[in-house]
């Protein structure tokens, strides 16, 4: 049982390049989330999807777009990467709302030069 | 919005000692409080959670206590072992809110 799988694990981009981070879950969860983790700041929500076909902004959505491709997959896209987006990105899936346990992938470490 | 503060930011204990990490939250409507453990290079892993209708919950060496009046909750780890060394995050949420609000994390180091 893989749980939440994120690809790639590492990536280096140049400023202005675009990239899509992929996430897939096999736990049949309705809700999926994208967080970023920066030193000393915990995890901050970028976007979430309560169900297939719906997406909503979180705390720090600027510079990102998302797609809920189907129930299993939720991707995060950086259209024009900036150094401020250097971070570790985590995808999570959970129950109907955040009062159900969330399960995290192992993250994508993204550096933007 | 919700704000979660976590203390201390770093904690060093001797193997076998107890460790306590404390969090406070701002939104009195919050009713779900999970704790996550994050090892180096890995994603956060849920280790225990508590809901507001319960004051304490235990799972082997780990316990969480909740004081709704004071709006704080704590993680207690007894008989610490080197493999408990990790970063621990608390979080809070309430019904209808789609996401967790995380504390800033505590780096626990258990010295052999």
């Amino acid at each position: 049982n893989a749980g939440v799988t994120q690809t790639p694990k590492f990536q280096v981009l140049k400023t202005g390049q675009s990239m899509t981070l992929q996430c897939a879950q096999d736990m049949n969860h309705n809700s999926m989330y994208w967080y970023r983790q920066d030193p000393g700041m915990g995890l901050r929500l970028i976007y979430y999807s309560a169900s297939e076909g719906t997406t909503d902004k979180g705390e720090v959505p600027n510079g990102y777009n998302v797609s809920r491709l189907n129930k299993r997959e939720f991707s995060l896209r950086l259209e024009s990467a900036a150094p401020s987006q250097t971070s570790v990105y985590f995808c999570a899936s959970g129950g109907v709302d955040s009062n159900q346990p969330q399960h995290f992938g192992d993250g994508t470490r993204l550096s933007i030069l | 919005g919700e704000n979660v503060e976590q203390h201390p930011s770093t904690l060093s204990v001797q193997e076998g000692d107890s460790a306590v990490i404390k969090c406070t939250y701002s939104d009195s409507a919050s009713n779900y409080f999970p704790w996550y453990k994050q090892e180096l290079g890995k994603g956060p892993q849920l280790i225990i959670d508590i809901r507001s209708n319960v004051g304490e919950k235990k799972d082997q060496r780990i316990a969480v206590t909740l004081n709704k009046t004071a709006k704080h909750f704590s993680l207690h780890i007894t008989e610490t072992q080197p493999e408990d060394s990790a970063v621990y995050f608390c979080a809070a949420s309430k019904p209808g809110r789609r996401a967790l609000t995380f504390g800033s994390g505590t780096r626990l180091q258990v010295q052999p």
Side-chain angles (χ1 to χ4, degrees):
Chain A
N1 189 345
V4 178
T5 303
Q6 293 183 238
T7 56
K9 295 188 184 302
F10 303 93
Q11 186 69 47
V12 179
L13 294 177
K14 295 181 179 178
T15 297
Q17 287 185 317
S18 62
M19 175 169 187
T20 299
L21 280 60
Q22 306 287 353
C23 175
Q25 53 99 3
D26 62 6
M27 293 175 283
N28 201 36
H29 287 153
N30 288 317
S31 296
M32 297 186 73
Y33 308 84
W34 277 105
Y35 292 88
R36 61 178 287 172
Q37 184 177 38
D38 301 297
M41 298 186 73
L43 290 96
R44 294 182 293 169
L45 182 70
I46 304 171
Y47 269 94
Y48 64 91
S49 171
S51 62
E52 184 178 351
T54 67
T55 61
D56 287 286
K57 295 179 180 179
E59 181 184 357
V60 288
N62 291 344
Y64 305 96
N65 287 300
V66 291
S67 295
R68 183 74 181 269
L69 305 172
N70 47 56
K71 191 170 186 178
R72 290 187 65 249
E73 298 173 290
F74 188 36
S75 63
L76 177 72
R77 182 162 178 84
L78 286 70
E79 291 290 353
S80 179
S84 61
Q85 294 177 305
T86 293
S87 189
V88 182
Y89 292 86
F90 288 99
C91 177
S93 71
V96 173
D97 59 33
S98 58
N99 275 21
Q100 300 294 326
Q102 287 189 23
H103 302 271
F104 286 80
D106 282 338
T108 294
R109 284 144 187 84
L110 184 61
S111 293
I112 300 162
L113 306 177
Chain B
E2 175 72 278
N3 183 48
V4 177
E5 294 190 357
Q6 183 172 348
H7 300 281
S9 57
T10 60
L11 180 60
S12 182
V13 300
Q14 292 295 123
E15 182 176 359
D17 287 350
S18 295
V20 180
I21 302 170
K22 299 181 179 181
C23 289
T24 60
Y25 60 98
S26 60
D27 191 338
S28 57
S30 292
N31 70 340
Y32 176 62
F33 308 94
W35 285 89
Y36 287 84
K37 175 184 181 182
Q38 186 177 25
E39 297 177 334
L40 192 62
K42 297 290 187 180
Q45 180 183 17
L46 180 70
I47 55 173
I48 195 168
D49 57 11
I50 191 168
R51 301 181 189 276
S52 59
N53 59 345
V54 176
E56 182 176 0
K57 184 177 179 180
K58 295 182 73 173
D59 183 4
Q60 300 183 329
R61 296 185 297 109
I62 294 174
V64 57
T65 58
L66 172 65
N67 183 327
K68 288 187 292 182
T69 302
K71 291 190 286 187
H72 68 71
F73 56 111
S74 299
L75 178 71
H76 304 255
I77 306 174
T78 59
E79 300 173 19
T80 53
Q81 302 167 2
E83 51 264 39
D84 294 329
S85 296
V87 179
Y88 291 81
F89 291 95
C90 63
S93 184
K94 64 181 181 181
R97 189 167 185 275
R98 290 298 180 181
L100 296 167
T101 300
F102 283 86
S104 55
T106 296
R107 183 173 299 278
L108 174 65
Q109 183 70 42
V110 180
Q111 306 289 344

